[in-house]
Amino acid sequence: MKRCLFLIFFTVLTVVLYARGITLTDHSKIQELSSFTIRGEIDLRTEKDYSADVRYRTLNHEGGMKVKVLEVLKDDVQNGESGKWFYVLLTAPMWVDTGEWIEKYQKFLIFLPEEMPVFDFEE
């Protein structure tokens, strides 16, 4: 009986600890002031110019890149993947592929492929 109660408690605790916000796969719901986390490799442009050089690349790690959308831009195809451009504000600091620590409140132009889910989505 004690073992059964322990397993139930452990299961509930695990679910609560790992429960996150909404996972979104339909990017058409993303609008200005939406917030979410991206857990994949994303190119970051510091200039709001589609042809600007990529300044940083995110790391694909558990914490991800936490952003707030400032502008929803255009639909596009990049490297054979359909997606959408967003101008975002970084809402938590993070490491990037160069080994640099990027502080929050910086703005980036990003391309988000349709197939990449976003986590902790809030409208």
Side-chain angles (χ1 to χ4, degrees), residues 45-66:
R45 291 169 172 79
T46 53
E47 298 174 44
K48 193 175 164 187
D49 176 2
Y50 304 113
S51 62
D53 289 337
V54 173
R55 178 74 191 267
Y56 307 108
R57 186 170 187 70
T58 62
L59 299 174
N60 186 13
H61 59 84
E62 186 176 312
M65 176 181 169
K66 296 170 181 19

PDB file of all heavy atoms in Angstrom, residues 45-66:
ATOM      1  N   ARG A  45      19.048  37.474 -36.185  1.00  0.00           N
ATOM      2  CA  ARG A  45      19.556  38.656 -36.871  1.00  0.00           C
ATOM      3  C   ARG A  45      19.300  39.853 -35.972  1.00  0.00           C
ATOM      4  O   ARG A  45      18.184  40.044 -35.484  1.00  0.00           O
ATOM      5  CB  ARG A  45      18.841  38.833 -38.210  1.00  0.00           C
ATOM      6  CG  ARG A  45      19.216  37.766 -39.214  1.00  0.00           C
ATOM      7  CD  ARG A  45      18.295  37.798 -40.433  1.00  0.00           C
ATOM      8  NE  ARG A  45      18.753  36.911 -41.486  1.00  0.00           N
ATOM      9  CZ  ARG A  45      18.563  35.597 -41.498  1.00  0.00           C
ATOM     10  NH1 ARG A  45      17.906  35.024 -40.506  1.00  0.00           N
ATOM     11  NH2 ARG A  45      19.024  34.859 -42.487  1.00  0.00           N
ATOM     12  N   THR A  46      20.310  40.664 -35.767  1.00  0.00           N
ATOM     13  CA  THR A  46      20.159  41.833 -34.901  1.00  0.00           C
ATOM     14  C   THR A  46      19.581  43.019 -35.664  1.00  0.00           C
ATOM     15  O   THR A  46      19.124  43.973 -35.045  1.00  0.00           O
ATOM     16  CB  THR A  46      21.512  42.228 -34.266  1.00  0.00           C
ATOM     17  OG1 THR A  46      22.480  42.385 -35.296  1.00  0.00           O
ATOM     18  CG2 THR A  46      21.970  41.165 -33.284  1.00  0.00           C
ATOM     19  N   GLU A  47      19.598  42.949 -36.973  1.00  0.00           N
ATOM     20  CA  GLU A  47      18.994  43.991 -37.801  1.00  0.00           C
ATOM     21  C   GLU A  47      17.637  43.502 -38.289  1.00  0.00           C
ATOM     22  O   GLU A  47      17.466  42.330 -38.581  1.00  0.00           O
ATOM     23  CB  GLU A  47      19.872  44.298 -39.002  1.00  0.00           C
ATOM     24  CG  GLU A  47      21.242  44.837 -38.629  1.00  0.00           C
ATOM     25  CD  GLU A  47      22.113  44.983 -39.846  1.00  0.00           C
ATOM     26  OE1 GLU A  47      21.621  45.474 -40.883  1.00  0.00           O
ATOM     27  OE2 GLU A  47      23.284  44.585 -39.763  1.00  0.00           O
ATOM     28  N   LYS A  48      16.701  44.404 -38.409  1.00  0.00           N
ATOM     29  CA  LYS A  48      15.365  44.041 -38.896  1.00  0.00           C
ATOM     30  C   LYS A  48      15.384  44.101 -40.426  1.00  0.00           C
ATOM     31  O   LYS A  48      14.762  44.949 -41.046  1.00  0.00           O
ATOM     32  CB  LYS A  48      14.330  44.995 -38.314  1.00  0.00           C
ATOM     33  CG  LYS A  48      12.916  44.532 -38.488  1.00  0.00           C
ATOM     34  CD  LYS A  48      11.992  45.485 -37.782  1.00  0.00           C
ATOM     35  CE  LYS A  48      10.590  45.306 -38.233  1.00  0.00           C
ATOM     36  NZ  LYS A  48       9.715  46.330 -37.678  1.00  0.00           N
ATOM     37  N   ASP A  49      16.157  43.161 -40.991  1.00  0.00           N
ATOM     38  CA  ASP A  49      16.375  43.091 -42.433  1.00  0.00           C
ATOM     39  C   ASP A  49      16.534  41.612 -42.786  1.00  0.00           C
ATOM     40  O   ASP A  49      17.435  40.948 -42.289  1.00  0.00           O
ATOM     41  CB  ASP A  49      17.635  43.887 -42.796  1.00  0.00           C
ATOM     42  CG  ASP A  49      18.020  43.801 -44.254  1.00  0.00           C
ATOM     43  OD1 ASP A  49      17.307  43.143 -45.047  1.00  0.00           O
ATOM     44  OD2 ASP A  49      19.050  44.400 -44.624  1.00  0.00           O
ATOM     45  N   TYR A  50      15.660  41.120 -43.668  1.00  0.00           N
ATOM     46  CA  TYR A  50      15.660  39.692 -44.010  1.00  0.00           C
ATOM     47  C   TYR A  50      16.993  39.225 -44.594  1.00  0.00           C
ATOM     48  O   TYR A  50      17.364  38.073 -44.448  1.00  0.00           O
ATOM     49  CB  TYR A  50      14.540  39.375 -45.005  1.00  0.00           C
ATOM     50  CG  TYR A  50      13.177  39.777 -44.521  1.00  0.00           C
ATOM     51  CD1 TYR A  50      12.475  40.799 -45.158  1.00  0.00           C
ATOM     52  CD2 TYR A  50      12.583  39.162 -43.430  1.00  0.00           C
ATOM     53  CE1 TYR A  50      11.215  41.179 -44.722  1.00  0.00           C
ATOM     54  CE2 TYR A  50      11.327  39.539 -42.978  1.00  0.00           C
ATOM     55  CZ  TYR A  50      10.652  40.555 -43.629  1.00  0.00           C
ATOM     56  OH  TYR A  50       9.410  40.934 -43.183  1.00  0.00           O
ATOM     57  N   SER A  51      17.710  40.121 -45.262  1.00  0.00           N
ATOM     58  CA  SER A  51      18.967  39.733 -45.896  1.00  0.00           C
ATOM     59  C   SER A  51      20.180  40.016 -45.009  1.00  0.00           C
ATOM     60  O   SER A  51      21.315  39.782 -45.422  1.00  0.00           O
ATOM     61  CB  SER A  51      19.127  40.450 -47.238  1.00  0.00           C
ATOM     62  OG  SER A  51      19.169  41.847 -47.040  1.00  0.00           O
ATOM     63  N   ALA A  52      19.957  40.490 -43.791  1.00  0.00           N
ATOM     64  CA  ALA A  52      21.064  40.772 -42.870  1.00  0.00           C
ATOM     65  C   ALA A  52      21.784  39.481 -42.494  1.00  0.00           C
ATOM     66  O   ALA A  52      21.197  38.391 -42.507  1.00  0.00           O
ATOM     67  CB  ALA A  52      20.544  41.464 -41.615  1.00  0.00           C
ATOM     68  N   ASP A  53      23.045  39.630 -42.166  1.00  0.00           N
ATOM     69  CA  ASP A  53      23.829  38.475 -41.738  1.00  0.00           C
ATOM     70  C   ASP A  53      23.295  37.931 -40.418  1.00  0.00           C
ATOM     71  O   ASP A  53      22.825  38.694 -39.561  1.00  0.00           O
ATOM     72  CB  ASP A  53      25.294  38.860 -41.545  1.00  0.00           C
ATOM     73  CG  ASP A  53      25.998  39.142 -42.868  1.00  0.00           C
ATOM     74  OD1 ASP A  53      25.539  38.638 -43.908  1.00  0.00           O
ATOM     75  OD2 ASP A  53      27.006  39.870 -42.833  1.00  0.00           O
ATOM     76  N   VAL A  54      23.395  36.621 -40.270  1.00  0.00           N
ATOM     77  CA  VAL A  54      23.013  35.973 -39.012  1.00  0.00           C
ATOM     78  C   VAL A  54      24.101  36.300 -37.998  1.00  0.00           C
ATOM     79  O   VAL A  54      25.279  36.045 -38.234  1.00  0.00           O
ATOM     80  CB  VAL A  54      22.869  34.446 -39.201  1.00  0.00           C
ATOM     81  CG1 VAL A  54      22.643  33.764 -37.869  1.00  0.00           C
ATOM     82  CG2 VAL A  54      21.762  34.149 -40.189  1.00  0.00           C
ATOM     83  N   ARG A  55      23.696  36.866 -36.868  1.00  0.00           N
ATOM     84  CA  ARG A  55      24.664  37.275 -35.838  1.00  0.00           C
ATOM     85  C   ARG A  55      24.934  36.144 -34.856  1.00  0.00           C
ATOM     86  O   ARG A  55      26.053  35.918 -34.423  1.00  0.00           O
ATOM     87  CB  ARG A  55      24.126  38.499 -35.117  1.00  0.00           C
ATOM     88  CG  ARG A  55      24.984  39.016 -34.013  1.00  0.00           C
ATOM     89  CD  ARG A  55      26.217  39.740 -34.562  1.00  0.00           C
ATOM     90  NE  ARG A  55      27.163  40.025 -33.528  1.00  0.00           N
ATOM     91  CZ  ARG A  55      27.217  41.161 -32.852  1.00  0.00           C
ATOM     92  NH1 ARG A  55      26.378  42.120 -33.109  1.00  0.00           N
ATOM     93  NH2 ARG A  55      28.132  41.320 -31.931  1.00  0.00           N
ATOM     94  N   TYR A  56      23.876  35.430 -34.466  1.00  0.00           N
ATOM     95  CA  TYR A  56      23.974  34.332 -33.509  1.00  0.00           C
ATOM     96  C   TYR A  56      23.085  33.197 -33.970  1.00  0.00           C
ATOM     97  O   TYR A  56      22.224  33.364 -34.821  1.00  0.00           O
ATOM     98  CB  TYR A  56      23.492  34.754 -32.105  1.00  0.00           C
ATOM     99  CG  TYR A  56      24.139  35.983 -31.548  1.00  0.00           C
ATOM    100  CD1 TYR A  56      23.435  37.180 -31.454  1.00  0.00           C
ATOM    101  CD2 TYR A  56      25.448  35.956 -31.088  1.00  0.00           C
ATOM    102  CE1 TYR A  56      24.013  38.319 -30.917  1.00  0.00           C
ATOM    103  CE2 TYR A  56      26.035  37.097 -30.553  1.00  0.00           C
ATOM    104  CZ  TYR A  56      25.320  38.271 -30.474  1.00  0.00           C
ATOM    105  OH  TYR A  56      25.903  39.389 -29.947  1.00  0.00           O
ATOM    106  N   ARG A  57      23.287  32.038 -33.353  1.00  0.00           N
ATOM    107  CA  ARG A  57      22.415  30.882 -33.568  1.00  0.00           C
ATOM    108  C   ARG A  57      22.118  30.306 -32.189  1.00  0.00           C
ATOM    109  O   ARG A  57      23.022  30.143 -31.371  1.00  0.00           O
ATOM    110  CB  ARG A  57      23.096  29.853 -34.454  1.00  0.00           C
ATOM    111  CG  ARG A  57      22.212  28.693 -34.855  1.00  0.00           C
ATOM    112  CD  ARG A  57      22.963  27.880 -35.932  1.00  0.00           C
ATOM    113  NE  ARG A  57      22.201  26.848 -36.530  1.00  0.00           N
ATOM    114  CZ  ARG A  57      21.174  26.983 -37.360  1.00  0.00           C
ATOM    115  NH1 ARG A  57      20.747  28.158 -37.668  1.00  0.00           N
ATOM    116  NH2 ARG A  57      20.565  25.953 -37.887  1.00  0.00           N
ATOM    117  N   THR A  58      20.840  30.041 -31.939  1.00  0.00           N
ATOM    118  CA  THR A  58      20.484  29.498 -30.623  1.00  0.00           C
ATOM    119  C   THR A  58      20.991  28.072 -30.482  1.00  0.00           C
ATOM    120  O   THR A  58      21.235  27.382 -31.467  1.00  0.00           O
ATOM    121  CB  THR A  58      18.956  29.504 -30.412  1.00  0.00           C
ATOM    122  OG1 THR A  58      18.347  28.671 -31.393  1.00  0.00           O
ATOM    123  CG2 THR A  58      18.395  30.904 -30.503  1.00  0.00           C
ATOM    124  N   LEU A  59      21.109  27.645 -29.262  1.00  0.00           N
ATOM    125  CA  LEU A  59      21.467  26.261 -28.960  1.00  0.00           C
ATOM    126  C   LEU A  59      20.171  25.493 -28.724  1.00  0.00           C
ATOM    127  O   LEU A  59      19.211  26.037 -28.184  1.00  0.00           O
ATOM    128  CB  LEU A  59      22.336  26.199 -27.704  1.00  0.00           C
ATOM    129  CG  LEU A  59      23.660  26.951 -27.787  1.00  0.00           C
ATOM    130  CD1 LEU A  59      24.345  26.939 -26.420  1.00  0.00           C
ATOM    131  CD2 LEU A  59      24.557  26.345 -28.841  1.00  0.00           C
ATOM    132  N   ASN A  60      20.149  24.255 -29.126  1.00  0.00           N
ATOM    133  CA  ASN A  60      18.966  23.422 -28.910  1.00  0.00           C
ATOM    134  C   ASN A  60      19.102  22.774 -27.537  1.00  0.00           C
ATOM    135  O   ASN A  60      19.651  21.698 -27.391  1.00  0.00           O
ATOM    136  CB  ASN A  60      18.855  22.369 -30.005  1.00  0.00           C
ATOM    137  CG  ASN A  60      17.575  21.580 -29.916  1.00  0.00           C
ATOM    138  OD1 ASN A  60      16.660  21.946 -29.198  1.00  0.00           O
ATOM    139  ND2 ASN A  60      17.505  20.494 -30.634  1.00  0.00           N
ATOM    140  N   HIS A  61      18.620  23.485 -26.519  1.00  0.00           N
ATOM    141  CA  HIS A  61      18.712  22.957 -25.156  1.00  0.00           C
ATOM    142  C   HIS A  61      17.371  23.106 -24.459  1.00  0.00           C
ATOM    143  O   HIS A  61      16.460  23.766 -24.950  1.00  0.00           O
ATOM    144  CB  HIS A  61      19.826  23.645 -24.364  1.00  0.00           C
ATOM    145  CG  HIS A  61      19.649  25.125 -24.242  1.00  0.00           C
ATOM    146  ND1 HIS A  61      18.880  25.705 -23.285  1.00  0.00           N
ATOM    147  CD2 HIS A  61      20.164  26.143 -24.978  1.00  0.00           C
ATOM    148  CE1 HIS A  61      18.908  27.013 -23.411  1.00  0.00           C
ATOM    149  NE2 HIS A  61      19.686  27.311 -24.438  1.00  0.00           N
ATOM    150  N   GLU A  62      17.267  22.484 -23.314  1.00  0.00           N
ATOM    151  CA  GLU A  62      15.983  22.390 -22.608  1.00  0.00           C
ATOM    152  C   GLU A  62      15.386  23.751 -22.260  1.00  0.00           C
ATOM    153  O   GLU A  62      14.190  23.955 -22.348  1.00  0.00           O
ATOM    154  CB  GLU A  62      16.162  21.577 -21.324  1.00  0.00           C
ATOM    155  CG  GLU A  62      14.866  21.313 -20.607  1.00  0.00           C
ATOM    156  CD  GLU A  62      15.065  20.437 -19.400  1.00  0.00           C
ATOM    157  OE1 GLU A  62      15.729  19.401 -19.527  1.00  0.00           O
ATOM    158  OE2 GLU A  62      14.556  20.807 -18.332  1.00  0.00           O
ATOM    159  N   GLY A  63      16.218  24.704 -21.854  1.00  0.00           N
ATOM    160  CA  GLY A  63      15.698  26.016 -21.475  1.00  0.00           C
ATOM    161  C   GLY A  63      15.105  26.778 -22.645  1.00  0.00           C
ATOM    162  O   GLY A  63      14.133  27.497 -22.510  1.00  0.00           O
ATOM    163  N   GLY A  64      15.696  26.618 -23.803  1.00  0.00           N
ATOM    164  CA  GLY A  64      15.201  27.260 -25.005  1.00  0.00           C
ATOM    165  C   GLY A  64      15.378  28.764 -25.006  1.00  0.00           C
ATOM    166  O   GLY A  64      16.026  29.352 -24.151  1.00  0.00           O
ATOM    167  N   MET A  65      14.785  29.379 -26.006  1.00  0.00           N
ATOM    168  CA  MET A  65      14.822  30.829 -26.192  1.00  0.00           C
ATOM    169  C   MET A  65      13.439  31.365 -25.862  1.00  0.00           C
ATOM    170  O   MET A  65      12.457  31.021 -26.508  1.00  0.00           O
ATOM    171  CB  MET A  65      15.188  31.139 -27.647  1.00  0.00           C
ATOM    172  CG  MET A  65      15.174  32.583 -28.001  1.00  0.00           C
ATOM    173  SD  MET A  65      15.595  32.773 -29.755  1.00  0.00           S
ATOM    174  CE  MET A  65      15.178  34.481 -30.001  1.00  0.00           C
ATOM    175  N   LYS A  66      13.360  32.215 -24.854  1.00  0.00           N
ATOM    176  CA  LYS A  66      12.081  32.774 -24.412  1.00  0.00           C
ATOM    177  C   LYS A  66      11.911  34.158 -25.027  1.00  0.00           C
ATOM    178  O   LYS A  66      12.776  35.013 -24.868  1.00  0.00           O
ATOM    179  CB  LYS A  66      12.031  32.839 -22.896  1.00  0.00           C
ATOM    180  CG  LYS A  66      12.071  31.462 -22.253  1.00  0.00           C
ATOM    181  CD  LYS A  66      12.257  31.550 -20.763  1.00  0.00           C
ATOM    182  CE  LYS A  66      12.342  30.235 -20.050  1.00  0.00           C
ATOM    183  NZ  LYS A  66      12.635  29.063 -20.725  1.00  0.00           N
TER     184      LYS A  66
END
